[in-house]
Amino acid sequence: MAPPRAIIVAGGGPYDGNGIAEQTDELGAYAYQVLRARGYTAANILYLSAFGERDVDGDGISDVDGPSTVAELSDALTGSFAGEAGRLLVLMVDHGYTTEDFMAFRMNPSEGLTTTQMDTWLDDLQATSPVDVSLVVDCCYSGRFVDDCAKDAGNPTERKRIVISSTTRDSEAVFLPPPDLSSFMYTFLGSAYMGNSLGEAFRSADLFFQTFSVAQQRPQIDDGGAAGIDVANEEFFGATWAYGVQSTTDINQFFPAFDSVTPSGVQASAPVNLFARMLPGQTPLSVVATIRTPAPAVPTGDPVSNLPTIELVQNPGDPALWEATVDAEPFTIPGAYNISFVATFQNERLSNPRFATVTISSGTDPDATAIRALIAAGEGAGVLDNLAYQGIAALAKNIYEVRFQDNNGVPQPAWVRYRTPSTPTPVSAAEIVSSINTWAVSELPSDGRLFVHLAGDRAAAGELRLSAGDTLTAAQLDAALDSFQTARPAATAVVVLDTPGAGEWLTTLSAPGRVVILGSRAGDSGLYLWFAPFTSFSQRFLSSAYQGQPLRTAYRAGRNFFDTFLPGLVRPLLDDNGDGVADKNDGAVAGSLFLGRRYAFAGDDPSGLPFIVSARTPTPVIAAGASAIFEATLLEGVDPVRVYLTRRLPDGTLASPEEVDLTRVGATSVWQTATPITPAEPGQHILAFYAEYADGAETKLSDAAFASLTVVAAPAGSGSWMSYE
């Protein structure tokens, strides 16, 4: 017989904001260990990882065979690796995304794999090769894989196909942080390793979530059998042998070790006494309590995973008792806290987790510092730039108002002052200075925190264009902040300035007790698109801060965006040590501060999903007067309402017409401009591509994909284009 083969996909990668990066990497390695222990040879395992090389078995050689990309997985499933297997097991773990009619697994920071594409690959594989397939997916909304990839009437009747998901098509999946790693995949693999069938391993993981209230997960299975799970009951990892004992070197680490833990119950507020009593003879090296806090509403589909942990301390007079008293954080807001206890033993063995629920009926915010924000947008040089700046300010207003909450978690929009040329009190230099020196001083105590977020066009060096010809200078803003910090000496001021050439303000604004975040360097033109999601530094910064990331991480999200997709065009700056220089010595203060309260959403960037795989023009350098076709490639299975691009001229202004529609090329996922475009202006034209897609009654935009076109006076030479690939 041909040998059984397996594919491991550890997706995502260590990108900014990935809350389950460590979990995904560890679970990929654990899957490799389980497969090797169950008899799979290294040659019969294809290990794809978005985390680079990793030596799992300790022989000094990386066991990862390649990056987690759509192309690598396609090659595996459509080529000889899968086609020549006796049977094929595919294990996938990472983030999942969904809309009303679409679901994708995140392969890496810029690629997603749709359920329909996976189904096509599996159909083609089983139509051409005598291969039985088992697919196990652990990600948010993974139930859609069961819906779309299960065996149907069109598949060969003699081929088995088992599809298992960690949750339903409408629910999130949860991955607790190390050392716990509690998740569907961890429990499923542990059961399979012990010799259980795929059906029994599925039931073990399903029972885990029914028993322990770590998440509202209900795993799903479809094995094509009449009884619902009878086929999976007869399929095993490797040979059908089982262990009857667990040695100290078993990779299946779970085993019972706790006699009792903190009982579930309700108490008024912190402190909370946590304890775990071990069974006789159990002598762990450490005991850790992982706490899942009450989460705000989740806007998109990432697991709740950045969880606080508490190290318990062994009681000298009672060695079986481990305990800790937690005075405040993380028990700082009302709600139910799910707590898991895990003991670590020699040889890196972990106990089976025990769970409890502690409900706090009242409490204080973990970051109770008084906060206020001033948001203002000035005019642009043209109508469209004006719309872009005001759109940024409106986005900022919405996000600040959500993030600015009182100790009971109630939003306080009155803490945010908002000014534009069209607000009842129009924006002006005098109004900004007054808001800082009068309103902020009267509203904030000595140790308060003031945010000033400004967006607008550059009027001159160190000047921000406001309304009716009025401008705000760097010296005026610095003087106002100096006055505020003199009146409130222990206060912190956070300034976010998004304007072309914002780096011109750096030396003037820098001061002790002040975080200065600038959207561009001196001389940078910036990037400001006038329609939602108002792509700009502010948009990237705000999207990250909205998710509960520290200001430093939010700043880096904006900086990394430009470094990745438009290198050299824009470079944001951060100075928080008051030396007037934006360098590697900055970031400590910004890393300890948050936009508003210290809570986090369990979602990805709300600006849109990465539906556009790549964007380019096949002729990236053209002569003035020549024409070019522009092209976008979308994820397989995406059916957008519309795909279009906008073009920004080399002088920084938006081109006209602003939106150019693309059309689908045949039945493929490639979209192109219907007619060539002939730009006349020499220089670098920045192209932003968007896909509109339906999500229920709403029409939403994908994340933007960027490319560039260089127009030269001489005949075109060679060039390069930028894309997500």
Side-chain angles (χ1 to χ4, degrees):
M1 293 178 60
R5 288 179 171 173
I7 300 173
I8 302 168
V9 181
Y15 59 87
D16 284 348
N18 185 3
I20 61 165
E22 188 174 7
Q23 292 92 310
T24 307
D25 191 16
E26 291 297 327
L27 287 169
Y30 185 58
Y32 185 86
Q33 288 179 299
V34 170
L35 290 169
R36 291 302 308 274
R38 291 298 302 184
Y40 285 77
T41 66
N44 289 322
I45 302 173
L46 183 68
Y47 183 5
L48 304 180
S49 174
F51 299 88
E53 296 184 352
R54 176 158 184 169
D55 178 15
V56 179
D57 55 18
D59 63 358
I61 301 173
S62 175
D63 298 300
V64 174
D65 297 295
S68 172
T69 66
V70 173
E72 289 280 352
L73 185 57
S74 173
D75 289 346
L77 292 174
T78 60
S80 59
F81 183 85
E84 296 175 1
R87 59 184 177 185
L88 181 69
L89 172 66
V90 183
L91 302 169
M92 302 172 64
V93 58
D94 190 36
H95 292 296
Y97 304 93
T98 187
T99 69
E100 184 178 48
D101 301 312
F102 172 89
M103 191 269 159
F105 172 91
R106 187 164 196 160
M107 296 290 291
N108 54 54
S110 58
E111 287 188 317
L113 171 66
T114 63
T115 55
T116 51
Q117 178 61 77
M118 174 60 85
D119 183 53
T120 299
W121 287 338
L122 296 182
D123 287 349
D124 292 345
L125 170 64
Q126 293 191 296
T128 57
S129 302
V131 180
D132 294 334
V133 175
S134 298
L135 171 65
V136 184
V137 185
D138 192 356
C139 69
C140 292
Y141 315 121
S142 55
R144 188 66 178 265
F145 277 92
V146 174
D147 294 346
D148 292 347
C149 298
K151 184 175 181 178
D152 55 38
N155 302 135
T157 56
E158 67 275 16
R159 308 280 185 264
K160 298 177 183 178
R161 186 183 302 182
I162 301 169
V163 184
I164 297 173
S165 69
S166 63
T167 189
T168 66
R169 61 180 292 157
D170 301 314
S171 300
E172 293 188 306
V174 166
F175 304 80
L176 269 68
D180 191 325
L181 285 178
S182 290
S183 60
F184 172 86
M185 186 63 78
Y186 197 91
T187 308
F188 175 87
L189 290 171
S191 179
Y193 168 73
M194 297 307 298
N196 290 318
S197 67
L198 297 189
E200 187 58 39
F202 166 81
R203 280 190 292 270
S204 296
D206 185 28
L207 181 62
F208 172 81
F209 287 106
Q210 291 184 47
T211 304
F212 303 124
S213 57
V214 64
Q216 300 303 314
Q217 271 184 253
R218 287 308 307 267
Q220 306 291 303
I221 186 171
D222 189 311
D223 65 0
I229 199 171
D230 54 336
V231 176
N233 285 339
E234 299 176 357
E235 290 294 315
F236 292 79
F237 270 42
T240 57
W241 45 259
Y243 282 130
V245 64
Q246 291 177 258
S247 71
T248 57
T249 59
D250 276 348
I251 58 171
N252 178 40
Q253 301 173 63
F254 284 170
F255 65 99
F258 294 108
D259 174 74
S260 60
V261 297
T262 300
S264 298
V266 178
Q267 65 181 70
S269 61
V272 174
N273 295 313
L274 301 178
F275 77 85
R277 180 172 291 279
M278 311 308 298
L279 289 169
Q282 301 289 353
T283 56
L285 302 177
S286 65
V287 178
V288 173
T290 301
I291 302 169
R292 187 182 184 202
T293 58
V298 178
T300 64
D302 281 1
V304 180
S305 58
N306 293 322
L307 305 179
T309 58
I310 304 295
E311 291 274 355
L312 275 60
V313 178
Q314 190 173 27
N315 187 316
D318 187 357
L321 178 64
W322 294 70
E323 55 192 351
T325 298
V326 186
D327 291 329
E329 194 171 348
F331 298 101
T332 53
I333 59 175
Y337 293 76
N338 292 320
I339 305 169
S340 69
F341 298 84
V342 174
T344 301
F345 293 79
Q346 289 182 340
N347 300 311
E348 298 183 350
R349 291 188 70 196
L350 300 179
S351 72
N352 207 348
R354 284 285 297 270
F355 290 85
T357 299
V358 174
T359 300
I360 302 297
S361 60
S362 64
T364 59
D365 191 280
D367 182 6
T369 304
I371 48 177
R372 296 294 185 272
L374 168 64
I375 301 169
E379 291 182 336
V383 173
L384 296 177
D385 287 315
N386 191 33
L387 290 174
Y389 295 128
Q390 294 198 50
I392 290 170
L395 175 67
K397 175 180 180 291
N398 292 336
I399 289 179
Y400 276 83
E401 287 183 351
V402 170
R403 293 287 308 183
F404 277 38
Q405 299 182 8
D406 63 18
N407 290 347
N408 295 316
V410 179
Q412 298 294 323
W415 292 354
V416 179
R417 178 166 281 195
Y418 175 60
R419 299 288 186 260
T420 72
S422 59
T423 49
T425 302
V427 65
S428 67
E431 168 61 19
I432 290 175
V433 170
S434 174
S435 294
I436 295 172
N437 287 342
T438 304
W439 175 72
V441 170
S442 65
E443 292 276 315
L444 289 170
S446 181
D447 62 347
R449 188 176 305 138
L450 174 65
F451 292 81
V452 179
H453 198 129
L454 307 177
D457 211 349
R458 178 183 183 273
E463 292 188 19
L464 179 68
R465 187 194 308 273
L466 298 178
S467 57
D470 190 29
T471 62
L472 174 71
T473 68
Q476 286 175 301
L477 180 58
D478 177 61
L481 293 170
D482 285 345
S483 178
F484 165 75
Q485 291 184 286
T486 298
R488 296 290 181 263
T492 301
V494 178
V495 181
V496 182
L497 177 66
D498 201 356
T499 183
E504 297 167 342
W505 299 57
L506 177 59
T507 304
T508 303
L509 291 184
S510 178
R514 196 178 297 175
V515 177
V516 180
I517 299 173
L518 305 173
S520 60
R521 297 167 298 192
D524 288 346
S525 62
L527 177 71
Y528 309 91
L529 300 186
W530 63 271
F531 46 83
F534 305 106
T535 303
S536 63
F537 169 77
S538 281
Q539 185 265 334
R540 296 288 163 170
F541 170 83
L542 290 167
S543 296
S544 180
Y546 171 69
Q547 300 299 321
Q549 301 290 354
L551 298 184
R552 178 177 59 191
T553 302
Y555 155 76
R556 287 175 175 170
R559 186 192 67 187
N560 292 343
F561 167 75
F562 287 108
D563 286 350
T564 302
F565 299 118
L566 299 171
L569 179 71
V570 179
R571 180 73 176 185
L573 304 173
L574 167 66
D575 175 33
D576 63 0
N577 63 2
D579 65 357
V581 179
D583 58 20
K584 64 181 181 180
N585 297 317
D586 295 294
V589 177
S592 67
L593 300 178
F594 296 77
L595 198 159
R597 298 306 185 197
R598 193 189 303 261
Y599 66 86
F601 284 131
D604 226 34
D605 187 320
S607 65
L609 303 183
F611 285 171
I612 302 178
V613 175
S614 67
R616 68 167 188 149
T617 173
T619 53
V621 182
I622 64 172
S627 299
I629 290 289
F630 301 119
E631 177 181 292
T633 302
L634 274 65
L635 287 174
E636 292 288 344
V638 174
D639 188 19
V641 176
R642 178 187 179 216
V643 179
Y644 63 93
L645 67 85
T646 66
R647 182 165 56 92
R648 194 170 183 87
L649 300 180
D651 64 2
T653 59
L654 288 168
S656 182
E658 290 309 315
E659 298 177 2
V660 179
D661 283 306
L662 281 67
T663 56
R664 193 192 297 269
V665 180
T668 71
S669 59
V670 176
W671 293 64
Q672 292 182 343
T673 47
T675 58
I677 296 175
T678 308
E681 305 84 353
Q684 187 182 44
H685 296 245
I686 302 302
L687 313 170
F689 294 74
Y690 289 90
E692 290 185 355
Y693 60 96
D695 189 12
E698 296 183 72
T699 299
K700 296 182 179 179
L701 282 180
S702 72
D703 205 356
F706 289 87
S708 67
L709 174 70
T710 300
V711 178
V712 296
S718 62
S720 62
W721 53 272
M722 289 162 285
S723 76
Y724 276 95
E725 294 181 318

